[in-house]
Amino acid sequence: MNETQDLLQRYLRQRREMGEAELFLDRHNASELHDLLTRTPVETAADAPAPGASAPEIVQLGSLESVREIALGCPRCRLAETRQHVVFGEGNPAAELLVVGEAPGADEDRTGRPFVGRAGKLLTLLLASVGFERESVYICNVLKCRPPGNRNPRPDEIEACSPYLLRQVELVAPRAILACGTFAAQTLLRTTVPISRLRTGAYEYQGVPVVATYHPAALLRHAAWVRTSWEDLQRLREILDPVGGRSA
Ligand code: URA
């Protein structure tokens, strides 16, 4: 018997011992099954982590505070094992503008607050330059936990975390969304089109206009893009306060 078969046998024996008569393999994707099979030591019912809220449960929660409470104990992906803090999001719960970034970095993981490092300071300045005070907007990320070493978010992590973002958008009910960087824009718009092309288009998420722009961390590396990003923010301003028009 090879190692994978051995693991599979142990996993199935464990489920049976826990009283499960049925096994729905289609509940798990390949990555989740691999994680189940390679989890050591084999957990008993007593020390297994609570499964956490399901996606349908999360998207029915009635307030940002209740979503936050569930997110703070979230075990829905592997990042739960390496995070210091869940970075749920912060700001005006009735904001006109919702800013979505990629994932917490080291500073955010340490403090539990989004966009507080160098990239965050630049974001705060850029927002202020077009008249959005940081306190007046709501800021969150696609992923609520830091990927180790700031690696890119993985598709199954985005999938596991997306019910939180969806509910945040529904509960804040902003009039516009600023998607910062490739992951935020591609996740919200369900596309693989590069950010350099997305930033010039007009899109919606759940009926809310979305402006995509470069991630502030990318602006720190490419100073010439700051002006481009500022122009994107001007478009955002124009959506919220049309010149010569009435704001909706
Ligand atoms: N980068 C992000 O995308 N989000 C943060 O909160 C910090 C850095």
Side-chain angles (χ1 to χ4, degrees), residues 76-79 142-148 151-163:
R76 287 171 57 81
C77 82
R78 66 182 74 76
L79 300 181
V142 170
L143 292 190
K144 312 305 184 206
C145 298
R146 182 190 184 206
R151 65 159 167 73
N152 285 341
R154 294 183 181 156
D156 63 329
E157 293 162 357
I158 294 177
E159 188 66 32
C161 219
S162 58

Side-chain angles (χ1 to χ4, degrees), residues 87 100-105 108 113-117 119-120 139-141 180 215 217:
V87 181
V100 182
E102 175 178 318
E108 292 77 21
R113 298 183 54 212
F115 279 109
V116 290
I139 305 183
C140 63
N141 287 299
C180 295
H215 193 284

Side-chain angles (χ1 to χ4, degrees), residues 28-38 78 154 156:
H28 302 292
N29 62 32
S31 168
E32 286 168 341
L33 273 178
H34 180 265
D35 287 350
L36 282 169
L37 291 175
T38 53
R78 66 182 74 76
R154 294 183 181 156
D156 63 329

Side-chain angles (χ1 to χ4, degrees), residues 68-220:
R68 179 192 182 85
E69 208 170 289
I70 295 292
L72 293 188
C74 181
R76 287 171 57 81
C77 82
R78 66 182 74 76
L79 300 181
E81 286 154 33
T82 50
R83 71 182 177 223
Q84 283 186 52
H85 286 101
V86 172
V87 181
F88 179 67
E90 67 179 25
N92 178 357
E96 294 206 321
L97 174 63
L98 180 90
V99 178
V100 182
E102 175 178 318
D107 293 316
E108 292 77 21
D109 186 40
R110 189 172 41 76
T111 58
R113 298 183 54 212
F115 279 109
V116 290
R118 282 180 67 223
K121 292 193 168 65
L122 178 55
L123 175 67
T124 304
L125 278 175
L126 275 171
L127 288 172
S129 76
V130 289
F132 297 111
E133 292 311 316
R134 184 173 165 120
E135 299 69 35
S136 71
V137 307
Y138 191 88
I139 305 183
C140 63
N141 287 299
V142 170
L143 292 190
K144 312 305 184 206
C145 298
R146 182 190 184 206
N150 296 349
R151 65 159 167 73
N152 285 341
R154 294 183 181 156
D156 63 329
E157 293 162 357
I158 294 177
E159 188 66 32
C161 219
S162 58
Y164 297 117
L165 180 59
L166 171 62
R167 198 63 184 134
Q168 282 173 310
V169 173
E170 289 172 343
L171 289 167
V172 174
R175 288 179 50 223
I177 297 175
L178 177 67
C180 295
T182 301
F183 281 94
Q186 292 187 347
T187 300
L188 290 172
L189 305 176
R190 293 200 166 268
T191 177
T192 54
V193 173
I195 186 71
S196 53
R197 279 183 40 214
L198 288 176
R199 49 165 292 278
T200 54
Y203 313 94
E204 289 190 349
Y205 174 77
Q206 302 285 116
V208 183
V210 174
V211 169
T213 193
Y214 293 119
H215 193 284
L219 303 183
L220 290 171

